Amino acid sequence: MTLPEAERFARLRLARTERIGPVAFSQLLQRFGSAQAALTALPGMIRKAGGASAPPSVEQVETEMAAGARAGARLIVLGDDAYPPMLAAVDPPPPLLWTLGDPALLSRPCVAVVGARIASAGGQRIARGLAQQLGQAGHVVVSGLARGIDAAAHEGALPTGTVAVLGGGVDDVYPPDNAALYDRIREQGCIVSESPMGARAQARDFPRRNRIISGLSRGVVVVEAELRSGSLITARLAAEQGRDVFAVPGSPLDPRSRGPNELIRNGAVLCEGVEDVERAFSTLRTLREPPGGHPFGDAPGEIAPELLDRVAALLSPTPTPRDELARALNLPVSTVAAALLELDLTGRATLLPGGLVSL
């Protein structure tokens, strides 16, 4: 499917609208059929639900597109032919990706290699060698361009193909001391981000970055990581997405081994080389797919403010399935789903993956 340019532009504009994350973006497309139709309906929905935000202006989105063109970046939106199939299977997928380099790498079989920023020399050697072996076996190695294990993995996989997923924009070289590696990946691999062009990486961006790393990959290998680290967040996301999680064991005397050792203790595949990865991949597994269809089939065109208040009154900080709310209200799921979408757009609810919602 080739999306019309007007729809691709509308999807970028919708994705850049305040409070519209991947869940709301997907549900708006499901409810209205296109980003253009969703943008038309959005102001009325937000106003009726008591909100005041609005989509960015056409000029603001044109500015981002122009910045991408100047940098030589390519925009891939959800629904494009070039959108990576593995990432499209995530519930919900990121609305868009900016790329520098060869975006075809994103659709090849990928394995992520991640780990500690302050890594041991031995850990870096393992990451570099494993990435080289994975590349020679036909896998594209995905990582986050951080210091330590990430950088070593990219180095090992450069000759065969590597993808660096960034927290800031694709033109944000972070950390600066990896600038030379960034340039080589741009020439020989692919740089990816869902952040706007020119955006500088903030702490809040890295969980989204980690979700893309795991979402692109059939499996995630953790080489060194402390118990509280971004690498373990990536491993948790991978498990939630139905991906394989691998961990390289290490000495219990090294705090950087605690993360991988804990993963193994909790069921991760022990990884000492590419053979362990290939053996796990040869086992028949079904990746978790997003649920088919959508809940808005017979939703009414207008949701009364009184109904929005009734639905909002049932919400709590504990995630609740929308089907349970529909039963409590004795209403069709489609009506409740439409009401929850409007409440999310104004900050009165938070839509979560899997049909869940919370305050």
Side-chain angles (χ1 to χ4, degrees):
M1 176 177 65
T2 302
L3 292 172
E5 277 305 310
E7 175 63 14
R8 297 182 77 253
F9 186 91
R11 291 191 181 201
L12 174 57
R13 190 178 177 211
L14 185 64
R16 294 296 184 237
T17 302
E18 186 181 358
R19 287 206 55 81
I20 293 184
V23 179
F25 181 91
S26 293
Q27 292 196 13
L28 284 165
L29 289 187
Q30 291 168 357
R31 184 173 182 191
F32 295 104
S34 71
Q36 291 169 288
L39 285 169
T40 300
L42 203 56
M45 293 171 63
I46 292 173
R47 187 168 52 251
K48 182 181 61 182
S53 63
S57 68
V58 169
E59 292 74 22
Q60 287 174 291
V61 179
E62 287 175 340
T63 298
E64 181 173 351
M65 294 286 285
R70 285 194 302 274
R74 177 178 175 182
L75 176 67
I76 301 174
V77 300
L78 184 62
D80 276 340
D81 290 335
Y83 195 94
M86 288 288 288
L87 197 57
V90 171
D91 179 23
L96 60 89
L97 301 169
W98 278 107
T99 67
L100 282 170
D102 181 9
L105 292 173
L106 306 178
S107 296
R108 285 177 48 192
C110 294
V111 176
V113 178
V114 298
R117 287 173 169 80
I118 305 175
S120 70
Q124 293 179 60
R125 184 176 66 252
I126 290 169
R128 191 179 300 108
L130 180 60
Q132 183 178 12
Q133 293 172 353
L134 286 167
Q136 291 169 347
H139 302 285
V140 173
V141 172
V142 181
S143 199
L145 198 66
R147 300 179 182 91
I149 297 300
D150 289 21
H154 288 307
E155 290 276 4
L158 266 172
T160 53
T162 188
V163 172
V165 186
L166 307 187
V170 290
D171 51 350
D172 177 37
V173 184
Y174 181 84
D177 48 351
N178 277 347
L181 178 59
Y182 169 97
D183 289 338
R184 292 166 66 198
I185 296 173
R186 179 174 177 171
E187 292 298 319
Q188 299 175 244
C190 189
I191 309 284
V192 180
S193 176
E194 62 176 324
S195 295
M197 297 298 302
R200 296 292 173 254
Q202 307 290 326
R204 65 176 181 272
D205 297 321
F206 289 103
R208 293 188 300 118
R209 187 275 305 261
N210 295 343
R211 189 168 180 267
I212 294 175
I213 290 174
S214 59
L216 286 169
S217 306
R218 172 77 186 274
V220 172
V221 183
V222 179
V223 178
E224 287 183 337
E226 298 202 22
L227 287 174
R228 296 177 61 86
S229 68
S231 299
L232 293 199
I233 293 173
T234 306
R236 175 179 58 78
L237 292 167
E240 291 173 357
Q241 293 164 350
R243 274 52 169 166
D244 286 301
V245 177
F246 302 88
V248 176
S251 167
L253 300 177
D254 188 341
R256 290 167 294 202
S257 297
R258 289 178 184 162
N261 290 351
E262 181 68 13
L263 289 174
I264 293 168
R265 194 174 291 116
N266 291 327
V269 179
L270 186 149
C271 180
E272 294 180 316
V274 69
E275 300 82 8
D276 295 310
V277 176
E278 297 286 12
R279 189 181 305 113
F281 286 173
S282 68
T283 304
L284 183 62
R285 291 194 61 189
T286 301
L287 293 178
R288 187 171 302 143
E289 298 285 341
H294 62 76
F296 303 107
D298 55 353
E302 293 286 333
I303 303 294
E306 297 78 14
L307 177 56
L308 293 175
D309 292 338
R310 288 176 60 200
V311 174
L314 293 178
L315 300 179
S316 76
T318 302
T320 305
R322 63 177 166 235
D323 294 7
E324 188 175 306
L325 297 172
R327 283 194 295 272
L329 293 163
N330 196 26
L331 289 171
V333 171
S334 58
T335 301
V336 173
L340 290 171
L341 179 56
E342 296 192 18
L343 290 169
D344 176 83
L345 295 173
T346 55
R348 298 173 65 189
T350 300
L351 295 176
L352 304 169
L356 299 174
V357 64
S358 69
L359 282 177

